Every structure is written in C-alpha cells, then in structure tokens.
Amino acid sequence: DVKVTQSSRYLVKRTGEKVFLECVQDMDHENMFWYRQDPGLGLRLIYFSYDVKMKEKGDIPEGYSVSREKKERFSLILESASTNQTSMYLCASSLIRTDYGYTFGSGTRLTVV
Amino acid sequence: AQSVTQPDIHITVSEGASLELRCNYSYGATPYLFWYVQSPGQGLQLLLKYLSGDTLVQGIKGFEAEFKRSQSSFNLRKPSVHWSDAAEYFCAVGLSFGNEKLTFGTGTRLTIIP
C-alpha cells in the first residue's frame, strides 16, 4: 500500500524553537505539498515542490521554509516557532498530473507553547 | 483561478438517513473533481473522483457523486449513513492538464445522531 509518512503525530515545542516536520513518500511521486489545517479555514497551502531542490510558495509561506534534497522526502521548517503556528500540518504527494489526486499523510498536530 | 465552495459548514444527519453534501466550483473548463474524507485526527482519504465520461461516479464506503456541468456542481451522496461516516468532507478541483495544484473547499463537518 502506498504511503505518505509524517514523522510525528504530535509535537509540543516552545516559542522561538526551530522546528522540523518531516514527510516521506514511497510512491516515487514528483510533487509534494505542505498544508496547515485550522478550524473553519480548511486546508491552506504553505509550500509545494515539484522536483528535488525545487520549491514554490503557497498561500501562507510566511514563517516557514522547506527543503527537498531527495525525491521521497519533503521537510517543513519553522525557523522560530510562534504560538500562532499551533495547528495541524498535513503533507501530501502526487504525480505530475492531477488526475490521480493527492495522497495525504496522517498529519502532525503541533502545539507551540 | 479556480475556486471551490462548500456552502455547508456543518451538517447533522440521523443514522440511516440519506446524505447530500454540496460542492460548487468556479472554473472555465471542465476540471477534475475530487471528494476526500478526513476522520478525526487523521489525514485525508480519497473517496472518489470525476475525470471525464459518466457524470455519476462511485466511490468507496458506499458514496457516489454526480457532476452537473450546468450547475458547476459535484455533490456527494450516500443513501444511508452509518455512525462511522462522521467526519469532515472536502471537495477539491484540479485542472485537467498541466502540473497544477488542487484547490480545496473549506470542508463540511458531518455529525451522525443515533
């Protein structure tokens, strides 16, 4: 069964910490995405990557950066965590064409205190 | 740019009753359309998709959806809901060409009452 694996289900970090959220897919997908999900706001795209070392900003990139050194791994980095970054973070991957849709990971619930 | 509207934030349905969740999209051409389900604390799972052809598509868990071009809609239906269907449901639209991102609706939360 194909999978997108997010390294942590729950994380608690302190304000100002540098936080790494890791995502690995085993489907040889070209595209990978990071979303945050907040009640009433749906899924908001933070960053996406369509190839190794390639990235594009999504709708809400401020306060985040990403890294894609290998095709299967896409990392989301919070350079200096703040309480307003407390959220559910979802990673997804897809083929280049959109007709297969996305495969999502189980999510990481991050709490910044 | 394409957009997706799910007009119902929250719907409550009795177990065994029928269900219809609404989804409207705005896009110039025929898009690809998807429905995803998210159980509490989980990621999103693909329920079904419309790419072309037959406008009534069947998915997993007994769900179906109908693409109506004239109404720019892709509503999700189930004839008889089960308590396990309680979840959040997301409609998404994608371009039928190129390498473009899916656009998601804001979701509809479904509550099932006994």
Side-chain angles (χ1 to χ4, degrees):
Chain A
D1 196 14
V2 296
K3 276 190 174 178
V4 176
T5 302
Q6 295 184 231
S7 53
S8 304
R9 291 297 306 274
Y10 300 95
L11 275 179
V12 180
K13 296 293 182 181
R14 296 194 179 277
T15 302
E17 275 193 79
K18 190 169 186 177
V19 181
F20 293 85
L21 303 183
E22 305 288 344
C23 176
V24 177
Q25 51 97 1
D26 64 0
M27 298 164 285
D28 202 34
H29 282 174
E30 291 82 7
N31 296 342
M32 296 189 75
F33 308 84
W34 275 107
Y35 289 88
R36 68 175 280 176
Q37 183 180 17
D38 301 288
L41 298 178
L43 277 68
R44 292 183 291 169
L45 182 64
I46 304 171
Y47 268 97
F48 74 101
S49 168
Y50 51 89
D51 199 353
V52 175
K53 297 189 184 295
M54 305 300 288
K55 62 185 179 184
E56 286 196 20
K57 294 180 180 179
D59 302 317
I60 52 164
E62 296 78 19
Y64 304 93
S65 62
V66 290
S67 172
R68 194 169 181 197
E69 297 296 319
K70 294 184 177 181
K71 189 175 185 179
E72 67 270 19
R73 186 180 297 270
F74 192 36
S75 302
L76 179 70
I77 303 155
L78 287 65
E79 296 290 343
S80 177
S82 63
T83 55
N84 63 12
Q85 292 178 309
T86 292
S87 186
M88 169 72 98
Y89 290 87
L90 292 168
C91 176
S93 71
S94 76
L95 296 168
I96 288 178
R97 290 165 52 97
T98 56
D99 51 352
Y100 286 94
Y102 293 177
T103 302
F104 282 85
S106 297
T108 296
R109 184 162 294 281
L110 173 67
T111 302
V112 182
V113 298
Chain B
Q2 64 265 33
S3 66
V4 181
T5 302
Q6 293 181 249
D8 303 307
I9 296 172
H10 183 206
I11 285 182
T12 300
V13 177
S14 297
E15 191 168 15
S18 63
L19 171 71
E20 183 169 24
L21 302 182
R22 295 183 291 165
C23 173
N24 294 97
Y25 68 91
S26 172
Y27 184 58
T30 300
Y32 293 158
L33 295 159
F34 305 83
W35 274 101
Y36 286 85
V37 61
Q38 184 183 32
S39 299
Q42 300 295 317
L44 277 69
Q45 179 185 20
L46 181 65
L47 275 177
L48 48 78
K49 62 184 177 183
Y50 171 79
L51 304 180
S52 65
D54 192 346
T55 58
L56 184 64
V57 294
Q58 304 295 322
I60 62 171
K61 304 176 187 280
F63 285 91
E64 65 178 27
E66 186 171 12
F67 169 57
K68 293 185 177 180
R69 184 191 308 274
S70 61
Q71 298 176 21
S72 297
S73 69
F74 187 56
N75 293 351
L76 181 71
R77 301 194 295 246
K78 188 170 184 178
S80 176
V81 298
H82 185 262
W83 63 266
S84 60
D85 293 325
E88 189 145 21
Y89 293 80
F90 292 90
C91 181
V93 60
L95 291 174
S96 56
F97 57 90
N99 182 14
E100 287 290 339
K101 306 176 294 298
L102 295 186
T103 298
F104 287 85
T106 52
T108 297
R109 184 161 62 93
L110 176 64
T111 297
I112 308 295
I113 55 176

